[in-house]
Amino acid sequence: MRSSRRIHYLPLSLRIIILAVFCLGTSIVHAAPPDEANENSGDLSLEELMEIKVDKVVTASRYEQRVTDAPASITIVTANDIKKYGYRTLADIVKAIPGLYVSYDRNYSYVGVRGFGRAGDYNSRLLILLDGHRLNDNIFDTAALGTELPLDIDLIDHVEFVRGPGSSLYGSNAFFGVINIITRNSSDISRELSAGIGDNAAWKGRASYGARYASGLETMLSASYFDGDGRRNLYYPEYATDPGGPVFHNNDFDSGTSAYSRFSYGNFTLSGLYGTRKKGIPTGAFGTVFDTKPNYSVDDRGYVDLAYRRTFAESVELSSRLYYDAYSYQGRSTYAGSTGQPNVISHDDADGRWMGGEAMATLTAFEGHRLSLGAEFRDNLSMSQINYAVIPYTRYLDDNRRSTSWGIFLQDEYRISGQFLLNVGGRYDRYDHFDAVNPRIALLYQPLASTSFKLLYGEAFRAPNTFESYYNDGGLSSKANLALKPEKIRTYEVVWEQYFGATYNSSVTGFYYRINDLISQVNDPDDGLLVYRNVDRVETRGVELSLKGTWENGLQGQVSYSWQESTNVDTGAWLPNSPRHLAKVNISVPVYRSKLFVSPELQYASPRLTLAGSRTRDPVIVNLTLFSRDLVKGFEASAGIYNLFDTAYGDPGSGEHLQDVIIQDGINFRIKLTCRF
């Protein structure tokens, strides 16, 4: 029987956060310089309002448009934000975005979107793009967020997060949204050297070169390396054999290398990316022997991409790309041998290779219409999974497959009148074993250039990935399921976006999601083996509020609050790893002209349900960054303290963990220096 709903009163810590949000928001509002008071929209005429500068975005429709014209709710995080708040990875950026939260199992970072954050699902329900190039791999469909992302965060110009289903343009994985990482221009980089150090012997270095030549050729080259011992003295009571132990030493290490290059000439852009990352696994995941070696994973990711873009007679824009991608995973794990026998070293490897292309034409020749037509093809040349024990040599899995997929899409942005905009589109995708049709429709009402009301409906799908469909360890613990169907989501949203002069912008969003055929890992009662099946249905509803202010003197700030409720449709149960409340505050204050900034950041997440049915704490995490630029010409410096008050907290563990809650880092720091010459 479905459980009845109860009223959930706000916890004391959340009430404190809301009060802080209100106080800081009020201080931001009153911090505008007196000579900018007439920037407020209430003092502007209709003509002046029409001149208000509105942010632009390319991800929502695959072409540049104003945020208020885009058929989605959107957040943009700039390079300026990244520097001032000391973000170290894409996961740090994601934590600051309204409605998103991140879990970390001390190997990978996992994103939760609007109350849905299934621990250990490899981020396969979020699509990540790099300058429009898909980064999700063809084995696990992983969207990399942490140090496993093969791009140095210093190369980011801005990040666009488009909420809601994106399958009408992008196909699979654009389930809850799309993150598009836009890299910096070559001319912005020139020559840069960067170095940073942190606690636990962590350090990072980067060298970058960018230039634009008289011939029109633009070049960017960059290489990075990082290394760190990770957190020491990790205590897990689940493994304790005495009151003081055990303590895990020196297996939380993290190291990696990345390289990025881009060459642009005329209408062509050739880019390449490669990254490798090795991470120790200190949690004893998947039943490995705790406090022993080897237990680590290695992820390699790379691609080569040739893109073309050209505009004809200002009414036709063509864009296309050809690409070749590669991904490999190596897992090395130690398992206990049988009685009296040595430990068994297990190798768990995956290797993926794929190539493809896409093309899109955008036509504006028809009055009031912006019509987009596109097609995409992908050939998965190799999808290999291998699992074997070394001594004695025993092979449990040796699976190698190949597949193809293609899709076509159509979208029309129709300006019905000066105040109404209609966006209608859809995409058809064909896979080897199924096909999918996903529409999207948006009606926008814009009484002023600074105001946009959006009614949004969309559908999206996620294809079963190679791991879920074909992983089989020979009957030891899991088996394959070739009959998996794609997941399906339907979403309804109401959005109000408002710009107040050149200083403030706000967003209010209400949403409802319904997911069918959700792929979940279950135990088959016939043989006790783990298998992925389409068994769950989920619904999510919620509200998001945000207010952002930016002033010419460098002062900036943002406050946001999200309420979300995700439940199992069949049981009414609250989903694990799903906070009902998220509150975030950040403010960057110039303390010396526009050269020195102090930037505190506060993040709160309400308790989350664990797999064992307990609840996590509801921590208030405070970060503080001091950032300077051009105090000495050509130099940027920053010092960041993260988890300033050393708050103890953890994230829910996944099915492979003995721990119900995975311990997170206490207070830690980073100091960074960048030189331009």
Side-chain angles (χ1 to χ4, degrees), residues 17 88 95 583-585 600-605 608 618-624 641-651 664-668:
I17 294 302
R88 299 159 294 180
K95 289 178 184 177
K584 306 179 183 183
V585 182
E601 181 178 46
L602 181 150
Q603 298 174 349
Y604 168 82
R608 290 171 283 171
D618 53 343
V620 177
I621 303 301
V622 177
N623 306 318
L624 181 66
I641 303 177
Y642 307 90
N643 195 357
L644 177 64
F645 299 111
D646 199 24
T647 303
Y649 74 105
D651 292 332
Q664 300 301 297
D665 288 342
I667 185 171
N668 60 101

Side-chain angles (χ1 to χ4, degrees), residues 114-134:
R114 288 178 165 175
F116 188 100
R118 182 158 292 186
D121 71 351
Y122 302 106
N123 290 331
S124 58
R125 297 176 180 88
L126 185 71
L127 177 63
I128 293 189
L129 307 174
L130 177 57
D131 292 324
H133 183 104
R134 176 186 288 260

Side-chain angles (χ1 to χ4, degrees), residues 6 15 55 160 177 230 328 331 350 353 363 385 415 433 453 572 603 607 644 659:
R6 297 181 179 179
R15 282 178 274 172
D55 294 329
E160 300 175 358
S328 69
R353 301 285 186 273
L363 313 174
Q385 299 182 90
R415 176 65 67 177
H433 303 294
F453 296 96
Q603 298 174 349
L644 177 64
Q659 302 93 329

Side-chain angles (χ1 to χ4, degrees), residues 254-517:
D254 196 357
S255 64
T257 304
S258 65
Y260 176 76
S261 63
R262 188 177 70 229
F263 303 91
S264 299
Y265 184 79
N267 301 309
F268 291 92
T269 299
L270 177 66
S271 60
L273 176 71
Y274 172 75
T276 181
R277 177 253 203 177
K278 183 177 181 180
K279 178 66 179 70
I281 306 174
T283 56
F286 295 101
T288 55
V289 180
F290 186 76
D291 198 11
T292 191
K293 297 179 180 179
N295 279 306
Y296 66 83
S297 64
V298 178
D299 292 271
D300 294 336
R301 179 73 171 90
Y303 71 75
V304 177
D305 182 293
L306 178 62
Y308 173 83
R309 182 179 295 273
R310 184 176 179 183
T311 300
F312 298 88
E314 298 184 356
S315 61
V316 179
E317 183 180 273
L318 296 179
S319 62
S320 62
R321 66 172 10 110
L322 297 172
Y323 56 82
Y324 176 85
D325 283 63
Y327 169 76
S328 69
Y329 166 83
Q330 300 176 41
R332 299 294 179 263
S333 305
T334 302
Y335 291 90
S338 56
T339 304
Q341 298 298 314
N343 291 336
V344 176
I345 307 302
S346 171
H347 287 219
D348 192 38
D349 298 340
D351 186 82
R353 301 285 186 273
W354 64 100
M355 61 183 297
E358 59 184 57
M360 187 180 85
T362 301
L363 313 174
T364 56
F366 306 101
E367 184 176 357
H369 292 267
R370 181 181 287 188
L371 188 66
S372 299
L373 307 92
E376 181 178 354
F377 174 78
R378 176 167 160 175
D379 186 350
N380 290 299
L381 304 171
S382 173
M383 299 181 294
S384 172
Q385 299 182 90
I386 300 173
N387 184 282
Y388 62 93
V390 178
I391 301 175
Y393 180 82
T394 308
R395 185 174 290 266
Y396 299 109
L397 172 67
D398 189 353
D399 185 84
N400 190 20
R401 299 178 182 272
R402 181 170 182 171
S403 69
T404 59
S405 63
W406 57 270
I408 55 175
F409 60 88
L410 173 67
Q411 177 182 267
D412 185 22
E413 180 185 283
Y414 174 45
R415 176 65 67 177
I416 301 173
S417 67
Q419 296 182 336
F420 287 95
L421 184 66
L422 180 66
N423 190 299
V424 180
R427 173 166 167 147
Y428 172 80
D429 283 275
R430 178 63 186 174
Y431 287 72
D432 290 346
H433 303 294
F434 69 90
D435 55 9
V437 177
N438 293 275
R440 178 175 73 176
I441 182 169
L443 178 62
L444 282 65
Y445 172 58
Q446 301 166 325
L448 296 171
S450 58
T451 305
S452 186
F453 296 96
K454 304 178 181 181
L455 297 177
L456 311 175
Y457 171 79
E459 298 181 13
F461 78 104
R462 183 181 75 88
N465 60 48
T466 306
F467 175 75
E468 293 166 337
S469 296
Y470 304 118
Y471 192 86
N472 182 345
D473 61 7
L476 293 178
S477 62
S478 62
K479 62 181 180 180
N481 183 3
L482 277 63
L484 281 177
K485 301 182 295 183
E487 300 173 341
K488 188 74 174 180
I489 186 172
R490 289 186 173 90
T491 72
Y492 305 83
E493 291 188 57
V494 180
V495 182
W496 173 26
E497 294 172 345
Q498 182 68 55
Y499 282 72
F500 301 93
T503 303
Y504 308 103
N505 66 79
S506 65
S507 177
V508 179
T509 302
F511 57 88
Y512 172 80
Y513 289 2
R514 177 68 177 254
I515 304 173
N516 291 319
D517 294 323

Side-chain angles (χ1 to χ4, degrees), residues 57-63 129 160 162 169-170 178-180 182:
V57 64
V58 298
T59 311
S61 297
R62 298 181 74 146
Y63 53 71
L129 307 174
E160 300 175 358
V162 179
L169 288 176
Y170 295 102
V178 180
I179 290 178
N180 193 5
I182 310 298

Side-chain angles (χ1 to χ4, degrees), residues 179-200:
I179 290 178
N180 193 5
I181 303 168
I182 310 298
T183 55
R184 296 164 61 188
N185 293 325
S186 302
S187 56
D188 292 340
I189 289 182
S190 186
R191 294 177 294 273
E192 286 186 359
L193 293 176
S194 181
I197 60 172
D199 51 351
N200 298 315

